[in-house]
Amino acid sequence: MLLTSKYSLPDCPEHTLARPRLLSLLKGCHSDQLLLVTAPAGYGKTTLITAWASTQDNPVAWYALDTSDNAPNQFCRYLVESVHRATGNGVPRTHRLLQAPQCPDPAAIVSHLLAELRGLPSELRIVLDDYHQIDNQAIHDTTRFLLRHAPAGVGIVLASRSQPPLGLATLRVQGRLLELGSNELALNTEEIARLLEQRLPFTLEADCAAQLHQLSEGWPPAVQLFTLSVRNRAEVERYLGELERGHSHILDYLAEEVLERLEPRMRDLLARTSILTRVNARLAERLSGRADGQQLLEAAAQRGLFLQAQDSSRQWFRFHPVFARFLQRQLSDRDLLLQLHSTACDTWQALGQPVEALRHALAGEHRERLLQLLGAQGEQLLRSGQSPLLRECLEWLGTGVLEQNARFTLLSAKMAWENFEYDLCEKKLAAAESRLQRQDPQQWHQYEGAFATMRAQVAIARGQTLQAKEYAEAALALLHREQSGERISALLVTGETSFCLGALDQANTHMQEVEALAIAERDIPSAAWAICQQAEIAFAQGLLNKAASLQKKVHHLVQKNHLSTLPISEFVCRLRGQLQWERGDLEGAEQSARRGMQINRKVGEHWLLPEYTLLLKIAQARGEKEESLEWLDRIEGLLSDERYHRDWIANADATRIRTWRALGNQQAIAAWLEQATPVVDKPCNHFEQCHGRNHVRALIELHCWSDACRLLGRLQQVAGACGLTTDRLRNRVLESHLLWLRGQRGEAVTAITEALQLAAGRDFRASFLQIGKPLIVILKTALESGLEEAETDQAQALIRLAQQQPELDGGIRIELDDTIIREILASDAVPDFLRHSPLTPREWQVLNAIHSGLSNERIARHFKVAPSTIKTHIRSLYQKLDVKDRQEAIALAERMLRSVQDRL
């Protein structure tokens, strides 16, 4: 008796995720190819091939193998039965051969089968699913014979957890082999996001799919378990934490599907080497005590045991992180585990890999190894982005060790500084300084300049520019020749203080000096930082093309030196995002922001404020209200819990104020203005200028126009004196809006014209668009007043962009002046009677305010008149428009404004 389930095409599981990316690859293979799908358990091999087979017009013979199929006769019986059924009884002679009392040799059966298949009228695919169940060489020989002699139009599909021993090199060379492995079968971020959207009853944050992909590396069971386990947003972080530690259900799955099938020697080697991030034969043999490490590693990889070769020579391998965590659970003997870490530490050190050695010294709780490695490699490891690991090591060693060792104190202080913990940084420096001066003055003398450098970095981060300058100058006088790293840091602070004090050319010279020195010392992160600062200086000077060129330069430097996972890489992405945003490339800016989030998420959410800010800007520009509110909520959460440099805060505040303005939340704007830090007397850098404009925007929204005008004048005077061209442009645009609101139309046109002149040939867009729809009427008036040809083209392009920007509430926001009113009256949407009985300019303004949803009291406050005056205007409006209430007036205004907006 044959089981029909073994030779019947299975049904696709309900709610299977469509994978067009993979199906398109399968559809592209021709029938003369062998399609080989190999991956460990859970990657969806059977599901994928089932989905593909169900779309085929030609017959598909399905054979699901298990361990009982290692008997050659049974293998042949099921193979022939599946082909016979799939082809509509198309191989009757071969089928009868199997009914004979004495079953022929497998080679003879396959020969008869292939002979009959040559007469088939259509193509045929034969699927051998779960081929890893086969370990009988006779069946491998039969399958190899089938592959070698299959007639044209008959293709074979193999699905297996391991590489089948079928001698496929010839097929590969001939181009007759199409291979899909775990890299292709793993779910990518987009597929995970689509699956979560389908399965979960609530919407997740946009970056959750990326987090899940990072932890699972696209292994479908982990993602599937997420959709089954998480019932609400509150459980998301819990599951992700469980996945990182080793979810119990996943552990049970791997124990049943993988571990129980392994022989003891393989199981022991895999468990012992699972503590490694990557493994080669030398490490495997040292940790296992065996001499056949290379053979066992290759065998494990070929058997699909979540172990992948990392190079073409198959010298290095790595575990899938979920499987590694599972294997580590098997190491229950603490003494054995500590010994394994000790051996791993020594081996990595011999291999010249200090990061790996340090990890195992810490895990193995080996104090002397830890001190030796930190003393020799600490500064280099810090520069290469190993702060989390260093922090763990120093915390384990304890405060007493730090205070007695200046080098370790500086490492710890640097990490506190990087984490915005400036008070803690100062505390560590002060405690160590006190002890060293009393107990080891010689060591203090050696490191006094390095301590001054660290204090300079703290001061500049706090915005204490003059103090930072003093500390940096003192450090440069105290540092010894061999302290090149500290000298580079002190010079960086000197350049940053020049930038903050408005000496842009001097700052640029300092940064170029730092770049050259850092490159000579092979301190690539510091060189990259110096180039980023040059790009920011160029941006402040209005030189967008130069800034973009510098950004590309530092991007190539980071990529060339494999620093794409370090915090400096986030700075590079942030610069690119800012440039893309200014030029109106929302898609590119979003990609840059999300790349920056991916880099910095591992060091904590508090680092993500710039990315959240940029994503809020993008959501605003797209009119995405819910998305904007989500990013606004995240930003406010970070600002309430963390302390940041004024640069980050000013940019975040600017975006918050624009969101509140778009949503009509004047209460939030008033609350911000009440508690905001006052504008400094001389705002001579880009972030103090931004902070000043935030005050101006808030004052404008609260109708404190005189105060706004005075502050804006001071900002513009300082920006001009310091060569802050971008800020001069942005100040002029904001000034134009303010003057327009005050009824000074001629002065407003003059201001916007000067902004257009400053922007000539510089690709500025977003700086204009930040004032919203009023930009349209101001530019149209400027066009009527007469502009130069280049400025005319730019103004018309900006009008089109402003028209395309939706409002967060979905409404239309157009400031009405004579130009716009004439366009409205010329449109077909205006009733004829309105042309003969026109509205007064004030009645048009009141109609626009009604359409914007303002109450009579709000309209009266806006125009600074009594509510009774507004009621008089409204009665006259209703009579001229021939409407009976506010709703009809709003509907008519919507039609008229829509008609003119569509042409703007």
Side-chain angles (χ1 to χ4, degrees):
M1 295 289 293
L2 298 180
L3 298 174
T4 58
S5 60
K6 287 174 62 66
Y7 57 77
S8 300
L9 180 66
D11 295 328
C12 279
E14 191 176 359
H15 307 303
T16 297
L17 176 70
R19 306 193 69 183
R21 171 176 64 89
L22 296 179
L23 289 174
S24 63
L25 291 175
L26 298 184
K27 289 176 182 176
C29 73
H30 54 79
S31 61
D32 290 336
Q33 283 182 308
L34 165 63
L35 174 57
L36 178 60
V37 183
T38 56
Y43 273 94
K45 301 178 291 295
T46 300
T47 300
L48 173 66
I49 298 173
T50 300
W52 165 77
S54 64
T55 66
Q56 297 301 296
D57 296 328
N58 295 316
V60 175
W62 189 276
Y63 181 8
L65 297 118
D66 56 42
T67 54
S68 66
D69 295 306
N70 277 289
N73 287 344
Q74 173 153 316
F75 176 83
C76 290
R77 287 172 65 83
Y78 273 109
L79 174 64
V80 172
E81 187 70 28
S82 66
V83 172
H84 191 55
R85 297 289 184 115
T87 56
N89 300 330
V91 288
R93 294 194 299 276
T94 310
H95 195 259
R96 283 195 296 272
L97 273 176
L98 292 170
Q99 314 305 319
Q102 185 67 35
C103 186
D105 177 79
I109 294 173
V110 172
S111 295
H112 279 86
L113 177 65
L114 295 177
E116 284 194 276
L117 289 179
R118 288 187 177 88
L120 281 181
S122 62
E123 293 184 349
L124 170 70
R125 298 297 177 96
I126 302 174
V127 177
L128 301 179
D129 191 28
D130 286 340
Y131 193 82
H132 57 272
Q133 302 281 7
I134 301 300
D135 55 20
N136 187 324
Q137 186 59 45
I139 296 179
H140 290 321
D141 292 340
T142 300
T143 305
R144 188 183 294 112
F145 184 83
L146 177 65
L147 294 173
R148 188 178 303 161
H149 299 288
V154 176
I156 313 298
V157 180
L158 283 179
S160 176
R161 293 184 185 178
S162 58
Q163 283 285 332
L166 299 175
L168 303 177
T170 301
L171 291 178
R172 189 177 286 114
V173 171
Q174 293 173 348
R176 292 182 56 208
L177 177 62
L178 175 62
E179 297 178 89
L180 296 182
S182 55
N183 288 337
E184 291 79 20
L185 292 171
L187 297 170
N188 59 30
T189 304
E190 292 74 19
E191 288 169 332
I192 291 175
R194 197 164 70 250
L195 183 64
L196 298 182
E197 184 179 353
Q198 290 177 5
R199 303 284 178 85
L200 295 179
F202 56 91
T203 303
L204 280 172
E205 289 80 0
D207 58 325
C208 183
Q211 284 182 269
L212 189 53
H213 181 266
Q214 181 181 359
L215 288 172
S216 67
E217 291 195 359
W219 188 47
V223 182
Q224 175 75 8
L225 188 59
F226 180 90
T227 66
L228 296 173
S229 303
V230 175
R231 292 163 294 182
N232 53 57
R233 288 186 180 87
E235 295 183 344
V236 170
E237 290 300 324
R238 175 188 60 78
Y239 176 87
L240 293 176
E242 289 180 1
L243 178 59
E244 191 163 13
R245 294 186 297 272
H247 196 288
S248 59
H249 294 331
I250 291 177
L251 300 181
D252 292 342
Y253 175 87
L254 290 171
E256 181 180 338
E257 290 291 325
V258 180
L259 195 65
E260 292 178 1
R261 307 182 184 198
L262 295 179
E263 61 272 22
R265 64 173 188 149
M266 178 71 78
R267 185 184 306 178
D268 182 65
L269 179 132
L270 293 178
R272 286 169 175 259
T273 56
S274 66
I275 64 171
L276 303 168
T277 56
R278 53 199 171 101
V279 58
N280 66 359
R282 181 174 178 180
L283 284 159
E285 290 167 0
R286 289 291 305 277
L287 268 66
S288 68
R290 301 183 60 87
D292 55 352
Q294 183 68 27
Q295 295 91 320
L296 286 175
L297 289 174
E298 291 191 12
Q302 289 172 354
R303 291 176 60 178
L305 294 177
F306 293 88
L307 189 70
Q308 291 183 327
Q310 296 297 285
D311 54 0
S312 58
S313 60
R314 302 179 73 81
Q315 297 300 306
W316 286 97
F317 300 82
R318 67 177 288 272
F319 288 101
H320 190 288
V322 174
F323 190 51
R325 289 189 285 271
F326 162 70
L327 290 170
Q328 289 160 17
R329 292 291 186 96
Q330 317 306 312
L331 298 170
S332 55
D333 185 332
R334 174 174 168 77
D335 291 338
L336 171 61
L337 184 59
L338 292 178
Q339 180 57 48
L340 289 173
H341 282 299
S342 177
T343 302
C345 175
D346 292 342
T347 309
W348 279 120
Q349 203 167 355
L351 290 170
Q353 298 291 328
V355 174
E356 301 294 345
L358 192 60
R359 282 199 183 102
H360 291 287
L362 177 62
E365 301 177 2
H366 202 296
R367 182 185 179 86
E368 293 306 316
R369 284 188 177 92
L370 205 59
L371 290 170
Q372 183 266 326
L373 285 164
L374 285 174
Q377 301 287 339
E379 285 85 356
Q380 179 59 38
L381 293 176
L382 185 63
R383 284 200 296 267
S384 62
Q386 297 299 329
S387 294
L389 175 60
L390 290 171
R391 184 178 295 109
E392 284 187 68
C393 294
L394 294 173
E395 287 176 355
W396 186 80
L397 287 170
T399 305
V401 173
L402 299 189
E403 292 179 0
Q404 294 174 16
N405 188 303
R407 181 176 293 179
F408 291 174
T409 295
L410 288 167
L411 283 175
S412 183
K414 181 78 171 181
M415 287 181 285
W417 170 78
E418 287 181 343
N419 211 38
F420 309 114
E421 298 171 330
Y422 305 132
D423 290 340
L424 178 61
C425 180
E426 284 280 17
K427 183 179 178 181
K428 290 176 180 291
L429 292 172
E433 178 180 356
S434 176
R435 178 174 287 196
L436 289 170
Q437 285 181 338
R438 286 184 286 107
Q439 299 180 1
D440 194 345
Q442 184 176 357
Q443 187 182 173
W444 167 248
H445 175 71
Q446 182 182 356
Y447 284 96
E448 185 178 0
F451 274 56
T453 300
M454 191 70 254
R455 286 181 166 129
Q457 291 177 287
V458 171
I460 194 67
R462 281 176 161 165
Q464 299 165 340
T465 307
L466 294 177
Q467 189 178 41
K469 183 178 176 64
E470 292 172 1
Y471 273 127
E473 289 173 351
L476 290 170
L478 289 167
L479 288 168
H480 304 289
R481 179 174 298 177
E482 69 273 9
Q483 293 174 303
S484 57
E486 285 79 7
R487 182 169 298 277
I488 289 170
S489 296
L491 286 170
L492 268 173
V493 173
T494 303
E496 289 185 58
T497 57
S498 297
F499 192 5
C500 292
L501 292 171
L504 270 60
D505 290 336
Q506 186 179 29
N508 201 54
T509 300
H510 281 307
M511 292 305 173
Q512 289 173 345
E513 181 184 355
V514 172
E515 177 192 350
L517 180 59
I519 290 290
E521 293 291 332
R522 295 303 300 159
D523 183 357
I524 304 303
S526 294
W529 186 270
I531 300 171
C532 286
Q533 291 288 340
Q534 292 173 55
E536 287 210 313
I537 293 168
F539 190 94
Q541 293 172 322
L543 306 174
L544 267 62
N545 289 335
K546 180 180 179 181
S549 177
L550 286 164
Q551 191 278 328
K552 290 178 181 176
K553 175 182 177 181
V554 71
H555 173 74
H556 291 318
L557 181 67
V558 166
Q559 294 296 313
K560 178 182 177 181
N561 290 275
H562 310 292
L563 305 179
S564 57
T565 60
L566 301 190
I568 184 61
S569 184
E570 182 274 337
F571 194 0
V572 176
C573 290
R574 195 191 326 154
L575 280 174
R576 182 169 61 238
Q578 290 169 354
L579 289 163
Q580 290 165 325
W581 162 253
E582 181 60 49
R583 288 170 167 162
D585 179 8
L586 300 186
E587 294 294 332
E590 181 178 12
Q591 290 176 11
S592 296
R594 294 198 180 280
R595 173 59 182 151
M597 287 173 64
Q598 185 180 355
I599 295 166
N600 265 1
R601 179 170 297 285
K602 60 182 177 291
V603 293
E605 190 185 20
H606 59 273
W607 281 89
L608 303 183
L609 181 62
E611 282 72 30
Y612 287 178
T613 300
L614 181 52
L615 289 167
L616 175 54
K617 288 181 180 180
I618 294 165
Q620 287 175 348
R622 291 170 172 167
E624 297 169 341
K625 182 176 180 180
E626 294 303 320
E627 188 94 355
S628 295
L629 291 174
E630 179 184 325
W631 293 120
L632 178 64
D633 184 61
R634 291 199 191 189
I635 289 169
E636 293 183 338
L638 290 182
L639 290 175
S640 65
D641 294 335
E642 303 285 350
R643 291 189 300 169
Y644 297 101
H645 190 276
R646 179 68 64 81
D647 191 4
W648 287 17
I649 295 174
N651 277 300
D653 285 346
T655 313
R656 289 201 294 163
I657 291 170
R658 282 194 289 271
T659 306
W660 294 330
R661 174 179 176 271
L663 298 173
N665 190 352
Q666 287 189 311
Q667 184 178 357
I669 295 175
W672 177 87
L673 187 60
E674 184 177 348
Q675 58 79 41
T677 305
V679 181
V680 296
D681 292 338
K682 189 178 179 183
C684 52
N685 53 61
H686 60 287
F687 50 86
E688 294 295 357
Q689 285 276 323
C690 180
H691 181 60
R693 281 193 298 276
N694 291 339
H695 276 262
V696 172
R697 292 189 184 97
L699 291 167
I700 289 174
E701 290 304 308
L702 300 175
H703 298 282
C704 302
W705 291 346
S706 296
D707 290 341
C709 194
R710 282 192 293 273
L711 176 54
L712 197 51
R714 175 154 59 97
L715 292 173
Q716 190 67 342
Q717 182 182 7
V718 176
C722 296
L724 297 168
T725 302
T726 298
D727 289 295
R728 286 176 58 206
L729 184 151
R730 290 171 174 174
N731 293 339
R732 277 285 182 252
V733 172
L734 190 55
E735 180 188 15
S736 177
H737 184 210
L738 176 57
L739 291 168
W740 188 269
L741 291 173
R742 301 188 74 175
Q744 298 171 264
R745 304 298 170 87
E747 292 89 339
V749 167
T750 299
I752 203 68
T753 302
E754 290 180 11
L756 290 170
Q757 291 168 348
L758 285 171
R762 298 179 188 262
D763 242 0
F764 281 101
R765 293 187 180 88
S767 293
F768 286 91
L769 297 171
Q770 297 315 296
I771 63 173
K773 298 300 184 199
L775 179 67
I776 298 174
V777 291
I778 297 172
L779 288 173
K780 283 180 137 325
T781 305
L783 286 169
E784 288 188 347
S785 302
L787 295 172
E788 297 295 330
E789 182 178 355
E791 294 155 12
T792 296
D793 293 341
Q794 190 171 13
Q796 290 172 340
L798 288 168
I799 287 172
R800 288 192 295 272
L801 289 172
Q803 183 273 329
Q804 293 166 5
Q805 276 199 312
E807 296 289 337
L808 282 186
D809 60 3
I812 301 170
R813 297 290 180 270
I814 298 178
E815 296 291 329
L816 298 184
D817 71 341
D818 292 343
T819 305
I820 300 299
I821 291 170
R822 286 198 299 271
E823 294 198 23
I824 292 174
L825 292 173
S827 73
D828 296 334
V830 175
D832 288 338
F833 60 79
L834 193 56
R835 294 189 178 91
H836 303 302
S837 180
L839 304 180
T840 66
R842 177 50 57 89
E843 286 170 345
W844 276 112
Q845 297 294 342
V846 171
L847 176 61
N848 194 32
I850 290 172
H851 173 262
S852 299
L854 301 184
S855 65
N856 289 356
E857 290 74 17
R858 285 277 304 277
I859 298 172
R861 287 201 303 272
H862 178 76
F863 291 115
K864 298 181 180 179
V865 297
S868 58
T869 302
I870 295 301
K871 290 181 180 178
T872 300
H873 285 308
I874 290 174
R875 283 196 296 270
S876 176
L877 264 177
Y878 288 177
Q879 184 177 1
K880 289 182 178 180
L881 296 175
D882 193 24
V883 298
K884 60 179 181 293
D885 56 28
R886 183 175 288 253
Q887 291 306 314
E888 287 190 10
I890 290 173
L892 178 58
E894 177 77 18
R895 291 198 301 273
M896 293 190 295
L897 292 175
R898 180 70 64 189
S899 69
V900 69
Q901 175 171 281
D902 290 343
R903 299 200 312 275
L904 288 176

